[in-house]
Every structure is written in structure tokens, then in C-alpha cells.
Amino acid sequence: MPTAPLTIREQITNRLRDDLVSGEFPAGATLRETELASKLGVSRGPIRDAFIQLSHEGFLTYQANRGVTVRDPPNPEDRGFITMVRQQIEGYVVEKGIADLDDVGIALVERALRRLKDACDSCEANRIAQCDIAFHEAILIACGGEDFVGAWRLLCSRMLLTYTRLENYEQSYQEHAKIFESLQTKKARATIAALKANIK
């Protein structure tokens, strides 16, 4: 069944999210609907909708008298805490659900891994970051952790603002391949250890 084409709102949201991840907009920068609408050739409506979505995801924030601004990345102490919480969520979901992992779930994660490999081969930093997160989300879903995805995404958005896993693309891919290998064979302890080694 063919995938439905993205709406203008979805296209604009994806474009702005990619720009935020890649550092196109510096922390604290004010984003204006009129300027972005003109730049992207759309009305202000899709820009406004994108602002709302990206605020919910944790990339943007509204401040009185300043409008919509790019959130500052977390300080090292906060980032350490965010990392720990994210590791705990993913580890908990894997430990609880890996025994019930089926072929459909394994295929879902494997597809996400292939997309990550393609992204690493392309050397596009923002695409790699997005595919990295998509891979981990696929694991959550495959292991029955849908209820945790919303909170988990907020944690990930904060980490993406200071994404540092892009210095060695092949190493990044190999870390994820190791996670998948353990997951595929339903080795909970090894999968959790590989996840913790990757989430930094």
C-alpha cells in the first residue's frame, strides 16, 4: 500500500526540525513566522503549526515579549540526567518486552537499521541524527513500549540539540548493529548493555 504524501504542514515541520538538529538556528534565536513563510514559500499557517509541533517536541519554546525561540541545549549536568532517564526507559522496555518480540517487530527494527546505514553512508549529520532516534523508537515499539514513546521523544529532542555522536559515522552504525544483533537473538542483558553504551 503506497504511503500517503506528506501535507504542507508535515513537510515544513520536518524541514524546520532538520534545520534545528543540524544547527541551522542557534540556541536562543528568535524564529518569526513571516520571515520563514517568505523563505519557504508558504503561508504563515503551516509555519505556525510547525512551531506548535516543535514546541511540543521540546525544540522550541515561547517566551513573553520574545515570541518563539530555539531552546538552549541542556547543561552537562542536566544532559547527564536526561541520558540516564532515557537509558532507563529503553532498558526497562527491552527487559519487559523482548521475550514477546515477534518477526514483525524484528523487521521494523531492521528496516530502521538499514535507513541508519544509508544515512551514515551519506554523511548527512541531521539525517543520521534523525535515523538514530528512529532506530531506538522502533525498538520501543517492537518491545511493546508505545506508552513511553511520548515522554521518551521529549528527552531525545533535548539530546538532539547537542548531538555529539557524529564524529565517526561507521562507529555509530556498528554500535546500532550490535544492539540489533543482541535484540534479534532476544538477549535482554546484552541488548541493554549495548543500548547504554550507545546512549551518551
Side-chain angles (χ1 to χ4, degrees):
M1 184 175 179
T3 304
L6 295 177
T7 64
I8 296 296
R9 174 187 176 278
E10 291 170 332
Q11 292 177 41
I12 295 301
T13 300
N14 290 345
R15 166 69 182 276
L16 292 179
R17 186 188 296 108
D18 285 347
D19 287 346
L20 287 161
V21 170
S22 64
E24 180 72 19
F25 304 113
T30 299
L31 303 186
R32 294 180 172 82
E33 290 180 13
T34 304
E35 292 178 3
L36 286 172
S38 177
K39 177 182 176 181
L40 300 177
V42 296
S43 66
R44 292 173 61 181
I47 302 294
R48 187 179 304 114
D49 290 341
F51 282 177
I52 293 171
Q53 177 64 35
L54 294 170
S55 294
H56 289 162
E57 292 180 14
F59 288 102
L60 303 176
T61 186
Y62 176 81
Q63 296 180 342
N65 302 319
R66 291 190 63 189
V68 175
T69 60
V70 179
R71 292 191 69 176
D72 291 322
N75 62 46
E77 183 177 342
D78 288 347
R79 182 180 172 84
F81 178 75
I82 291 169
T83 298
M84 180 189 69
V85 174
R86 185 182 156 193
Q87 288 174 340
Q88 289 183 333
I89 290 175
E90 294 190 32
Y92 174 78
V93 170
V94 167
E95 186 173 23
K96 184 180 179 183
I98 197 169
D100 297 322
L101 182 64
D102 57 19
D103 291 342
V104 174
I106 291 172
L108 176 70
V109 180
E110 188 172 19
R111 283 195 299 273
L113 181 63
R114 287 200 300 268
R115 293 190 189 101
L116 176 61
K117 178 65 165 65
D118 291 341
C120 289
D121 289 344
S122 74
C123 297
E124 296 177 41
N126 61 330
R127 186 180 166 205
I128 295 169
Q130 292 292 337
C131 288
D132 182 331
I133 295 303
F135 172 82
H136 288 266
E137 183 170 330
I139 291 175
L140 290 179
I141 293 171
C143 291
E146 291 90 344
D147 289 347
F148 295 91
V149 169
W152 174 87
R153 283 178 178 166
L154 289 174
L155 295 172
C156 290
S157 71
R158 302 297 291 143
M159 295 180 73
L160 283 174
L161 289 172
T162 53
Y163 195 80
T164 58
R165 305 289 292 155
L166 303 176
E167 295 178 0
N168 187 319
Y169 302 124
E170 180 59 25
Q171 178 186 352
S172 179
Y173 168 72
Q174 290 300 331
E175 287 180 5
H176 290 84
K178 184 175 181 179
I179 295 168
F180 177 70
E181 180 182 351
S182 299
L183 184 80
Q184 188 177 30
T185 53
K186 297 188 178 182
K187 297 176 181 177
R189 185 172 297 179
T191 302
I192 293 169
L195 283 168
K196 288 184 176 179
N198 172 254
I199 302 169
K200 299 177 180 177

